[in-house]
């Protein structure tokens, strides 16, 4: 008989939680009827973190996907009126991507959907348990030598 594998069990629990989080977030997005896929949602959130409109290559790098994937996402969001392609003022051959007013409104709705999904997922936990979980997740995300003074919001 083999000994139990506690790390294997934890890894399985993390994977199951990740799938549950995605399912619940997807349901909350669908209830808001934004017509935005989870991948498009991620692109909008990433786009919002830039101080000025990024190039598609910048988005691909930040999202860790191939540029073609970003092109497809931008095409869909542009058709929906959430983003627009604009020429770079310094180099007219370069195209940058910026949020439209509809895109900013969609982003507010996306954030609200994520908050309500998080509330649903975290409902069984006390405030103390949430604080402990947050600290543990920061350690897992950033590694043991990172600055503990920040929280991630994306």
């Amino acid at each position: 008989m083999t000994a139990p594998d506690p790390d294997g069990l934890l890894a399985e629990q993390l994977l199951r939680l990740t799938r549950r989080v995605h399912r619940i977030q997807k349901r909350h997005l669908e209830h808001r009827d934004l017509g935005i896929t989870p991948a498009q949602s991620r692109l909008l959130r990433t786009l919002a973190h830039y101080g000025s409109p990024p190039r598609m290559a910048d988005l691909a790098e930040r999202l860790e996907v191939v540029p073609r994937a970003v092109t497809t996402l931008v095409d869909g969001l542009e058709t929906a009126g959430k983003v627009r392609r604009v020429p770079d003022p310094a180099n007219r051959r370069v195209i940058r991507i910026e949020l439209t007013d509809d895109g900013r409104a969609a982003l507010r709705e996306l954030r609200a959907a994520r908050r309500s999904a998080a509330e649903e997922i975290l409902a069984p936990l006390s405030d103390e348990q949430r604080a402990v979980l947050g600290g543990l997740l920061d350690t897992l995300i950033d590694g043991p030598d990172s600055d503990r003074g920040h929280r991630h919001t994306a």
Side-chain angles (χ1 to χ4, degrees):
M1 185 167 145
T2 61
D5 177 12
D7 289 342
L9 176 59
L10 283 172
E12 180 61 29
Q13 288 174 305
L14 286 170
L15 289 171
R16 288 175 49 211
L17 177 60
T18 299
R19 287 193 289 271
R20 181 169 184 248
V21 167
H22 284 285
R23 274 194 317 273
I24 290 171
Q25 284 185 347
K26 184 177 179 185
R27 180 169 38 84
H28 280 262
L29 279 175
E30 288 169 353
H31 283 291
R32 292 177 183 273
D33 198 27
L34 295 173
I36 294 174
T37 68
Q40 289 172 329
S41 165
R42 186 169 174 237
L43 186 136
L44 285 175
R45 290 191 321 269
T46 300
L47 191 54
H49 287 288
Y50 283 92
S52 61
R55 300 171 307 139
M56 291 232 254
D58 300 327
L59 288 169
E61 183 178 329
R62 175 87 55 100
L63 293 168
E64 298 178 341
V65 298
V66 297
R68 178 67 191 133
V70 171
T71 300
T72 301
L73 293 172
V74 168
D75 287 347
L77 289 168
E78 186 175 39
T79 299
K82 309 294 187 225
V83 301
R84 70 178 144 254
R85 289 172 165 92
V86 294
D88 184 304
N91 182 347
R92 62 187 178 103
R93 292 177 297 164
V94 174
I95 299 296
R96 296 190 173 268
I97 308 303
E98 70 178 10
L99 285 169
T100 62
D101 289 342
D102 283 350
R104 281 186 276 285
L107 200 50
R108 285 190 294 276
E109 286 291 316
L110 290 169
R111 287 178 179 141
R114 290 182 77 192
R115 270 193 308 280
S116 60
E119 288 169 9
E120 179 179 335
I121 292 163
L122 298 172
L125 301 180
S126 68
D127 289 344
E128 182 180 325
Q129 288 172 317
R130 289 176 191 209
V132 169
L133 178 61
L136 293 170
L137 290 173
D138 279 344
T139 299
L140 293 175
I141 291 166
D142 299 329
D145 299 326
S146 66
D147 174 18
R148 298 276 185 268
H150 70 283
R151 294 298 307 234
H152 291 277
T153 56

